[in-house]
């Protein structure tokens, strides 16, 4: 059976795995990235699109931000619509920081290009079967590629393979504690060939349900509708989608959507999920493998990048100086940010979505909260600090 050797074996070529590999390369540490899907698939799957200021800084500082700086859409505020009112939250004025709209697939493309240009090893269509020896000084990643069983032997394994990957399942039963919540709704998301009618994101609380107006480029809009978790996408032809978006978003006199051909549509259930700890022996978990947030707070990709920034420093301290303190403290340090983001995402979701039951009391509380956010500088600053990303937590 063919066997490879590297210092850090990375499972998953999403933003977390690729960014970790890139950061390790900058510190002179070898890695191999194993990805079950094809390169074309990972470069084109639609995911998050909002980068916190810290994520932008990390990408630029590490030398993969050239296209981001050129094509990313910097937003210095967001708009909240509710009860027939519209209010802008001036995040940059309140915090000195902003967010940038730049699709996750674009981040992935940039990182793949950087790793391959530097001679990095990314094995696509390499299906990881199991992890062995995680409690030894030489763990082994077993994978299958081109019909052959192969092994990757390494010093450490970074599990960046998402919620459904094998890495988390390699931890012995009883070690991990899971915290989760399922929400009684989902998002119907569409990508439309329509120039955005706004310069910044619109979050709308409406009696028929939440809606979000976002974008991916000056030519492409990204829009979302709150729907039932068991909704059938076939029940949503393009005409119905546009009609519902108009109802929930066109609540400001004189303003209207730009419509165009819908290129893609999908339904995503909403859930919160955290596993503790994020490390077991020589396995370190990062990104969606260990935490998921509802996308209302735009935190998923940003948390993944924050995780591997910590891991990159921790591995460098171990290889350069023989230090173990950063590796030992990785989980506790990362989880402080994770739980801050969990709370913010839950708060934004609860404030903006209709609940499972028609509850007039809850609706009044939501409007009261939104009015407070849009009239209190202190409350608006709190939202803004969390949205653009806290430097440290």
């Amino acid at each position: 059976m063919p066997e490879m050797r590297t210092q850090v074996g990375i499972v998953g070529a999403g933003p977390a795995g690729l960014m970790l590999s890139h950061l390790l390369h900058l510190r002179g540490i070898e890695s191999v990235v194993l990805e079950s899907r094809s390169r074309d698939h990972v470069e084109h799957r639609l995911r998050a699109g909002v980068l916190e200021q810290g994520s932008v800084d990390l990408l630029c500082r590490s030398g993969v931000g050239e296209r981001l700086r050129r094509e990313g859409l910097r937003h210095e505020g967001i708009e909240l619509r509710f009860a027939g009112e519209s209010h802008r939250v001036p995040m940059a004025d309140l915090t000195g920081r902003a967010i940038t709209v730049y699709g996750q697939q674009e981040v992935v493309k940039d990182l793949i290009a950087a790793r391959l240009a530097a001679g990095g090893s990314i094995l696509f269509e390499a299906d990881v079967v199991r992890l062995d020896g995680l409690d030894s000084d030489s763990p082994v990643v077993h994978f299958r590629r081109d019909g052959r069983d192969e092994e990757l032997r390494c010093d450490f394994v970074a599990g960046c393979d998402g919620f459904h990957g094998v890495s988390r399942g390699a931890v012995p039963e009883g070690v991990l504690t899971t915290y989760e919540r399922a929400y009684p709704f989902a998002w119907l998301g569409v990508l439309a060939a329509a120039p955005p009618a706004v310069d910044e994101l619109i979050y709308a609380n409406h009696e028929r349900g939440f809606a979000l107006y976002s974008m991916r480029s000056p030519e492409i809009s990204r829009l979302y509708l709150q729907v039932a978790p068991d909704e059938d996408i076939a029940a949503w032809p393009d005409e119905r989608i546009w009609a519902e978006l108009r109802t929930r978003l066109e609540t400001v006199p004189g303003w209207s959507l730009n419509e165009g051909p819908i290129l893609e549509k999908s339904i995503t259930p909403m859930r919160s999920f955290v596993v503790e700890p994020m490390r077991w022996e020589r396995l370190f978990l990062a990104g969606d493998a260990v935490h998921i947030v509802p996308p209302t707070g735009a935190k998923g990709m940003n948390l993944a990048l924050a995780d591997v920034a910590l891991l990159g420093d921790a591995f460098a301290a171990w290889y350069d100086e023989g230090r173990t303190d950063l590796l030992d403290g990785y989980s506790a340090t990362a989880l402080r940010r994770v739980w801050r983001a969990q709370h913010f995402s839950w708060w934004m979701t609860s404030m903006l979505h209709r609940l499972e039951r028609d509850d007039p009391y809850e609706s009044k509380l939501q409007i009261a909260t939104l009015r407070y956010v849009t009239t209190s500088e202190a409350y608006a600053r709190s939202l803004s600090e969390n949205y653009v990303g806290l430097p440290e937590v």
Side-chain angles (χ1 to χ4, degrees):
M1 180 182 300
E3 181 180 291
M4 304 171 61
R5 183 74 173 84
T6 194
Q7 291 175 298
V8 181
I10 301 173
V11 185
L18 291 168
M19 189 73 219
L20 177 59
S21 181
H22 176 64
L23 293 173
L24 294 178
H25 164 70
L26 296 178
R27 305 295 287 268
I29 301 167
E30 295 179 356
S31 67
V32 173
V33 180
L34 303 173
E35 169 56 50
S36 63
R37 304 282 194 162
S38 68
R39 177 178 178 179
D40 182 72
H41 179 87
V42 299
E43 288 188 337
H44 292 92
R45 56 186 171 191
L46 288 177
R47 292 290 189 272
V50 173
L51 290 171
E52 296 176 355
Q53 184 70 62
S55 298
V56 172
D57 293 344
L58 174 66
L59 290 162
C60 293
R61 186 171 63 248
S62 63
V64 288
E66 180 181 352
R67 195 162 67 94
L68 164 62
R69 283 191 293 261
R70 187 173 65 249
E71 300 179 12
L73 306 175
R74 178 182 168 88
H75 288 193
E76 297 188 348
I78 59 172
E79 185 177 344
L80 298 176
R81 291 188 179 179
F82 59 94
E85 304 172 16
S86 178
H87 299 268
R88 181 176 183 267
V89 179
M91 300 183 302
D93 291 345
L94 293 167
T95 67
R97 301 190 301 281
I99 56 100
T100 299
V101 174
Y102 191 68
Q104 177 172 312
Q105 72 275 14
E106 305 306 324
V107 173
V108 166
K109 289 175 189 175
D110 294 343
L111 287 167
I112 288 175
R115 291 304 299 121
L116 296 181
S121 180
I122 308 173
L123 305 184
F124 293 103
E125 300 181 79
D127 191 20
V128 174
V129 179
R130 71 181 190 278
L131 309 178
D132 283 338
L134 295 169
D135 56 351
S136 73
D137 60 4
S138 186
V140 181
V141 181
H142 299 267
F143 64 100
R144 189 167 181 80
R145 182 174 58 136
D146 297 328
R148 297 188 307 170
D149 292 326
E150 300 186 48
E151 294 180 353
L152 174 66
R153 192 170 294 275
C154 45
D155 299 326
F156 301 97
V157 177
C160 307
D161 48 348
F163 181 79
H164 298 289
V166 304
S167 296
R168 190 177 67 253
V171 179
E173 187 174 352
V175 172
L176 302 178
T177 301
T178 300
Y179 305 87
E180 56 188 327
R181 170 168 295 181
Y183 295 88
F185 41 76
W187 276 13
L188 189 163
V190 301
L191 197 70
V198 291
D199 295 325
E200 297 173 336
L201 277 65
I202 299 174
Y203 286 79
N205 172 299
H206 192 274
E207 61 184 10
R208 293 180 60 85
F210 169 77
L212 171 61
Y213 197 139
S214 183
M215 63 286 293
R216 287 296 178 268
S217 75
E219 297 80 30
I220 301 294
S221 294
R222 183 74 163 143
L223 307 108
Y224 300 92
L225 289 166
Q226 176 187 348
V227 296
D230 57 352
E231 197 75 37
D232 183 0
I233 194 70
W236 286 87
D238 294 2
E239 296 79 7
R240 183 185 178 192
I241 291 172
W242 285 118
E244 194 64 28
L245 285 166
R246 287 194 296 270
T247 297
R248 301 188 195 183
L249 288 167
E250 291 183 353
T251 56
V252 177
W255 183 89
S256 61
L257 288 163
N258 288 336
E259 300 183 20
I262 291 180
L263 308 175
E264 295 186 29
K265 65 178 79 170
S266 61
I267 291 179
T268 304
M270 298 289 104
R271 68 180 185 273
S272 298
F273 172 84
V274 181
V275 162
E276 298 185 8
M278 293 170 57
R279 175 205 181 171
W280 182 72
E281 300 292 348
R282 294 261 176 145
L283 171 65
F284 294 81
L285 300 169
D288 286 359
V290 72
H291 47 69
I292 293 174
V293 290
T296 325
K299 291 289 160 244
M301 175 168 56
N302 294 293
L303 282 178
L305 293 174
D307 287 348
V308 296
L310 291 174
L311 267 185
D313 288 342
F315 284 134
W318 192 87
Y319 282 107
D320 293 346
E321 306 170 48
R323 290 169 49 194
T324 63
D325 57 315
L326 296 185
L327 288 175
D328 293 340
Y330 164 68
S331 180
T333 302
L335 282 167
R336 285 198 293 272
R337 181 180 291 269
V338 167
W339 279 111
R340 176 85 297 278
Q342 286 285 336
H343 175 265
F344 176 67
S345 299
W346 164 84
W347 179 74
M348 286 280 286
T349 301
S350 302
M351 179 173 64
L352 291 162
H353 290 74
R354 298 292 291 181
L355 302 181
E356 185 174 18
R357 295 181 294 276
D358 186 13
D359 186 342
Y361 180 82
E362 187 70 29
S363 298
K364 290 290 188 180
L365 290 180
Q366 290 177 327
I367 299 302
T369 303
L370 285 160
R371 284 219 170 91
Y372 190 29
V373 168
T374 54
T375 57
S376 165
E377 182 176 313
Y379 214 175
R381 180 175 287 107
S382 177
L383 184 154
S384 300
E385 286 178 347
N386 283 275
Y387 198 92
V388 302
L390 294 165
E392 297 179 4
V393 289

